[in-house]
Amino acid sequence: MCFCCFIQMDDIDAMFSDLLGEMDLLTQSLGEETPPPASLPSSNQEVNFSIGFTDLNESLNELEDNDLDALMADLVADLNATEEKLAAEIQGLKEPSLPASDLTPASSATSPLPPPQSTKPSKVTKPCEEIEAQMKADKIKLALEKLKEAKVKKLVVKVLMNDGSSKTLMVDERQTVREVLDNLFEKTHCDCNVDWSLCETNPELQLERAFEDHENLVEPLLAWTRDSENKVLFKERQEKYEVFKNPQNFYLWKKDKKALKDIKDKDKELLIQENFCGTSIIVPDLEGVLYLKEDGKKSWKQRLFQLRASGIYYVPKGKTKSSRDLVCFVQFDNVNVYYGQDFRSKYKAPTDFCFVLKHPQIQKESQYIKYLCCDDARAMNLWVTGIRIAKYGVSLYDNFKTAEKKAAVSAVWTNRSTPSSSNASTPSPTIKGRTHRFLQT
């Protein structure tokens, strides 16, 4: 596990001040005709970017010296490379190559000059004014591109292991969870199986969910509040892609358990092809009685719910299960699904098998959070997986195929590099620790 905290970005941004200052001087020197680049965020805007951040000194003190040195070295190297590239491109613009017609061969230096044929200026050579104007436009474009790159939000993530060691990552807003997982695989040397996940937990709401591999990691982390105690976990979750390992448990769930267990691999593949590889995704036909927590109360009432591609619906009391009588309970467009933790104690839930639907921006108790409770773990996993299929569609299958390829490549390299007489492989590490994040723009 790892704990993520936000901090003010003033000191981190100071490392980029020289580069940004040179860009400002460059754009100011281009004349009054030059459109000014977009202004950097003011101190008030910085507060918006840093919502949920804790004190800088406290977080820096918690970083070990070797991690901080390595991080600073990476940042300085990136900064130097950017400055060198910028200087080289500007120097190239200042020294335009002369046209071939303007170059005089050395062998003809002593020959008499031909008589002038015309007093008109050459059409091949551009006037100096046009060259300067082009250089000015190129400089403006280059400066704006560098400013845009510098504004990309980045988080410095430190993960502490069970043995007390730590790993430090830098994640920017363009990186997906899959890319971050691959980075962690390289640093931890774990087995890269498809069950590895990045998860978030919310201790205040007692919720947990696994990030989907196609999500951008920075976006949900920025939704955390200033005083958040949320955590990020790097761990294995068998239910992550269980639907692609045993699709019969989700699409044929009404059948006898023994029959589901004896299904052949080719039949499993057919189920996947039918439900995920057609013109549209087919959502499991789920329905059943669930317990619904009443708003603002610790009481639960039973309702008959049905899963559809657009959301969850329920049958009102005294009505039939026909489509015209169904009432929409929640749609999936703007909500995520979470597993509840110890709801029996917190909310007096009938069982321990609860899940929640809420908007990712909601970080504290709210009337807009939907609480549901199932009779057993199997029913809970059926509903949570069904909701993920309805919400993410073919992206889930694409994520699984990518993870499967990564695991296969990792297994090949492991077999090649491991002698046949080697000892039994060590188990994959479980990551646990705190994560420190520095927002940069």
Side-chain angles (χ1 to χ4, degrees):
M1 293 186 303
C2 54
F3 173 77
C4 293
C5 61
F6 292 102
I7 63 170
Q8 292 290 346
M9 61 185 179
D10 297 339
D11 288 3
I12 298 301
D13 281 347
M15 292 186 294
F16 296 96
S17 60
D18 292 339
L19 177 59
L20 296 180
E22 290 177 6
M23 292 180 182
D24 290 338
L25 292 175
L26 173 62
T27 53
Q28 290 173 10
S29 66
L30 296 180
E32 295 181 357
E33 297 179 359
T34 303
S39 60
L40 293 175
S42 64
S43 58
N44 290 335
Q45 290 171 319
E46 290 176 354
V47 173
N48 293 333
F49 283 126
S50 59
I51 292 177
F53 284 69
T54 57
D55 182 67
L56 173 62
N57 293 330
E58 177 184 351
S59 296
L60 287 178
N61 289 336
E62 292 174 352
L63 283 174
E64 294 182 5
D65 292 339
N66 58 338
D67 291 325
L68 187 56
D69 290 342
L71 175 61
M72 294 299 293
D74 290 341
L75 291 175
V76 171
D78 290 342
L79 180 59
N80 290 339
T82 302
E83 290 177 340
E84 290 174 4
K85 184 178 178 181
L86 177 61
E89 292 177 351
I90 292 178
Q91 184 65 26
L93 293 174
K94 288 182 178 178
E95 299 178 358
S97 60
L98 294 174
S101 60
D102 290 348
L103 299 177
T104 303
S107 61
S108 62
T110 58
S111 63
L113 296 174
Q117 296 181 359
S118 175
T119 57
K120 295 181 180 180
S122 172
K123 294 182 180 180
V124 177
T125 306
K126 290 184 177 181
C128 294
E129 292 81 1
E130 292 185 18
I131 295 176
E132 292 178 358
Q134 183 62 40
M135 289 177 60
K136 181 185 294 186
D138 291 340
K139 289 178 181 178
I140 294 172
K141 182 179 179 181
L142 181 61
L144 291 177
E145 288 176 353
K146 297 302 179 183
L147 283 172
K148 182 178 179 180
E149 178 68 21
K151 283 186 175 183
V152 173
K153 295 191 240 344
K154 298 179 181 179
L155 304 180
V156 174
V157 182
K158 178 182 177 183
V159 181
L160 303 181
M161 311 299 175
N162 283 334
D163 60 2
S165 62
S166 63
K167 304 297 179 184
T168 303
L169 306 175
M170 176 174 284
V171 184
D172 71 43
E173 60 184 335
R174 299 165 297 187
Q175 287 182 280
T176 63
V177 171
R178 179 75 253 167
E179 293 171 322
V180 178
L181 283 172
D182 290 344
N183 198 345
L184 285 169
F185 291 155
E186 294 178 4
K187 289 180 175 289
T188 59
H189 307 291
C190 62
D191 58 10
C192 304
N193 72 69
V194 299
D195 294 335
W196 281 104
S197 308
L198 280 177
C199 309
E200 69 168 323
T201 64
N202 184 319
E204 182 172 346
L205 295 177
Q206 297 179 198
L207 303 177
E208 178 179 323
R209 85 172 180 106
F211 295 115
E212 304 298 343
D213 287 358
H214 65 274
E215 288 187 78
N216 295 104
L217 181 61
V218 169
E219 183 179 353
L221 299 186
L222 292 179
W224 295 0
T225 57
R226 181 180 182 84
D227 57 347
S228 172
E229 295 183 2
N230 292 8
K231 300 177 182 179
V232 170
L233 294 81
F234 176 49
K235 67 178 187 178
E236 292 176 280
R237 294 190 65 122
Q238 294 183 352
E239 70 275 10
K240 181 179 182 180
Y241 292 129
E242 180 65 20
V243 66
F244 304 114
K245 300 174 187 177
N246 294 293
Q248 72 279 8
N249 292 339
F250 299 87
Y251 286 93
L252 305 176
W253 61 275
K254 294 180 181 180
K255 290 192 174 183
D256 181 71
K257 289 183 179 180
K258 186 179 184 303
L260 295 178
K261 186 177 181 180
D262 295 337
I263 192 170
K264 298 179 180 179
D265 289 341
K266 65 177 183 179
D267 294 326
K268 294 180 182 180
E269 188 61 31
L270 282 175
L271 275 174
I272 294 176
Q273 293 295 323
E274 290 174 0
N275 293 286
F276 287 93
C277 300
T279 56
S280 61
I281 297 296
I282 299 177
V283 177
D285 183 21
L286 291 181
E287 73 170 31
V289 175
L290 302 176
Y291 298 93
L292 170 64
K293 180 179 175 296
E294 297 188 72
D295 293 339
K297 301 179 181 179
K298 291 186 178 181
S299 58
W300 301 71
K301 55 186 177 183
Q302 288 184 321
R303 285 279 187 271
L304 179 61
F305 287 91
Q306 292 185 4
L307 176 66
R308 301 290 179 88
S310 59
I312 296 179
Y313 296 77
Y314 70 91
V315 179
K317 190 175 181 179
K319 299 291 184 178
T320 65
K321 292 194 295 183
S322 63
S323 298
R324 63 183 180 183
D325 290 331
L326 292 179
V327 175
C328 180
F329 174 65
V330 65
Q331 293 183 319
F332 301 137
D333 294 338
N334 299 312
V335 298
N336 291 329
V337 59
Y338 301 76
Y339 286 99
Q341 298 177 323
D342 197 21
F343 276 13
R344 192 187 281 266
S345 298
K346 185 177 178 67
Y347 298 117
K348 300 188 182 303
T351 73
D352 292 321
F353 310 107
C354 303
F355 65 93
V356 163
L357 292 153
K358 75 174 185 69
H359 192 284
Q361 294 285 345
I362 299 176
Q363 296 293 316
K364 297 181 180 293
E365 293 283 355
S366 169
Q367 61 177 332
Y368 299 106
I369 300 177
K370 306 296 185 182
Y371 301 86
L372 293 168
C373 184
C374 307
D375 288 330
D376 51 40
R378 177 174 175 268
M380 179 180 67
N381 288 328
L382 272 174
W383 280 96
V384 171
T385 301
I387 291 168
R388 291 172 59 218
I389 294 171
K391 180 174 176 63
Y392 301 112
V394 73
S395 294
L396 278 186
Y397 187 55
D398 292 340
N399 292 344
F400 170 70
K401 299 302 291 184
T402 301
E404 199 174 40
K405 290 178 182 178
K406 176 70 177 180
V409 171
S410 175
V412 169
W413 281 104
T414 300
N415 292 336
R416 287 180 179 178
S417 60
T418 303
S420 57
S421 60
S422 62
N423 296 330
S425 59
T426 56
S428 303
T430 302
I431 311 306
K432 181 178 181 180
R434 303 183 65 183
T435 298
H436 304 272
R437 310 183 312 167
F438 304 79
L439 181 61
Q440 301 178 1
T441 59

